[in-house]
Amino acid sequence: MTTRPFTLVFAGGGARGYAHVGALRALQHLGFAPAGVVGVSMGAVVAATYALREDWYEALLSIDLSAFPDPTSRRASAGKRSPGIRRALNYAHTAWNMVTGWGAPDDAADAGRVVLDQLLGSQGLEEGRIPVVVCATDLRSGSRVELSSGRAATAVYASAALAGILPPVEQDDRVLVDGVYADVAPVDLARAMGAPVVIAIDPGQTSGAVSITNGLQAVMRAMEICHHTHAHLRMAQADLALRPEFGRFIDVLDFRSRRECVAAGVRVVKANRKSLERILRSD
């Protein structure tokens, strides 16, 4: 019995994108290895790391994200002030950063670049052991931008640069930010890579946050709702769509929950083993 070639599509989802890591690990355990990968946002981080590093699993779980804080936190506002006042100051500071800069403090943006440099080095996307494509959004044209060559760390940063939080990448008269705005799950790109089967993984959540008490939380939640609806439509074009279940709401920037998200990815593959066997095994 042989395995039919397949391409994986990793949708965005912030910290929940660590479910892709668990899904890859579980697929590997079942003897399934993708012929190509397409990634968006956090999915791009996982896709590029998988294609470029043999130790992808250990590398992704060991990266230090402590220097990349929640954009609503601000150590300077701590002290003797009440929680309500501190929270108001935090969000006021974030709003001011969005007006005068890109949202996150400079050290957080720099930390993000450092993490990707450590993870991917100076390698180009074209150097992967399998083909890998990551997607960004050009804010000027509003179009999807597919990146399959060039410095991987730069391409992945562009694919994951949340608008209003991280500075965009300016390249060839384009202003590149997170790929989810133009296409959360580029199934058509996976089809174009030539494998007969496309499997997409969507780590989005339909359940809401525990509380929505201010405008920034409302905006983030509204974006997630748009993301989910868009993802549902795009995922329908894949041969199989896997949707990890997390059991609780996990914020897109809650990277402390990465291992919980990895476990969700493992579970969704195990739960869909029969479907995977049916579409990937051939006599």
Side-chain angles (χ1 to χ4, degrees), residues 11-277:
R16 296 190 298 268
Y18 264 92
H20 300 313
V21 177
L24 269 171
R25 188 74 158 182
L27 286 167
Q28 187 178 62
H29 181 74
L30 294 176
F32 299 131
V37 283
V38 177
V40 179
S41 196
M42 188 59 192
V45 178
V46 177
T49 305
Y50 176 79
L52 291 166
R53 294 187 61 153
E54 293 290 345
D55 64 340
W56 58 273
Y57 183 78
E58 294 79 10
L60 285 163
L61 283 181
S62 64
I63 58 178
D64 181 10
L65 293 166
S66 60
F68 186 67
D70 184 321
T72 64
S73 68
R74 187 188 178 203
R75 289 187 295 271
S77 68
K80 297 182 180 180
R81 298 185 178 99
S82 70
I85 292 175
R86 288 202 305 270
R87 185 164 54 248
L89 287 172
N90 287 342
Y91 282 103
H93 184 256
T94 299
W96 177 253
N97 280 344
M98 286 184 178
V99 173
T100 61
W102 291 108
D106 291 341
D107 57 348
D110 291 342
R113 292 184 183 275
V114 168
V115 164
L116 292 175
D117 285 342
Q118 293 173 343
L119 195 61
L120 301 169
S122 60
Q123 297 181 90
L125 288 172
E126 68 277 9
E127 298 178 53
R129 66 180 182 277
I130 60 173
V132 56
V133 180
V134 304
C135 294
T137 301
D138 178 15
L139 283 180
R140 286 203 172 105
S141 67
S143 61
R144 183 182 73 185
V145 177
E146 304 100 34
L147 303 167
S148 58
S149 62
R151 193 168 185 273
T154 301
V156 169
Y157 175 89
S159 181
L162 285 168
I165 295 179
L166 290 174
V169 172
E170 296 192 36
Q171 185 183 87
D172 301 327
D173 291 327
R174 299 179 300 194
V175 178
L176 304 181
V177 294
D178 200 312
V180 299
Y181 305 123
D183 194 345
V184 67
V187 174
D188 59 316
L189 287 182
R191 293 268 183 225
M193 293 172 78
V197 176
V198 173
I199 298 172
I201 302 177
D202 175 21
Q205 282 190 291
T206 56
S207 58
V210 175
S211 64
I212 300 173
T213 59
N214 57 62
L216 182 58
Q217 289 178 342
V219 169
M220 294 297 288
R221 180 57 186 153
M223 287 174 57
E224 284 204 293
I225 293 170
C226 291
H227 167 104
H228 172 70
T229 303
H230 185 190
H232 183 77
L233 294 172
R234 293 296 272 152
M235 292 285 172
Q237 300 172 24
D239 295 291
L240 178 64
L242 302 180
R243 295 182 173 86
E245 295 184 4
F246 299 94
R248 67 180 181 89
F249 180 78
I250 296 178
D251 189 89
V252 293
L253 296 177
D254 183 11
F255 288 99
R256 294 169 299 179
S257 300
R258 72 179 85 178
R259 290 189 178 274
E260 184 178 345
C261 296
V262 169
V266 172
R267 288 195 303 270
V268 76
V269 168
K270 289 183 176 180
N272 287 273
R273 180 171 181 171
K274 289 184 179 180
S275 296
L276 288 163
E277 294 276 359

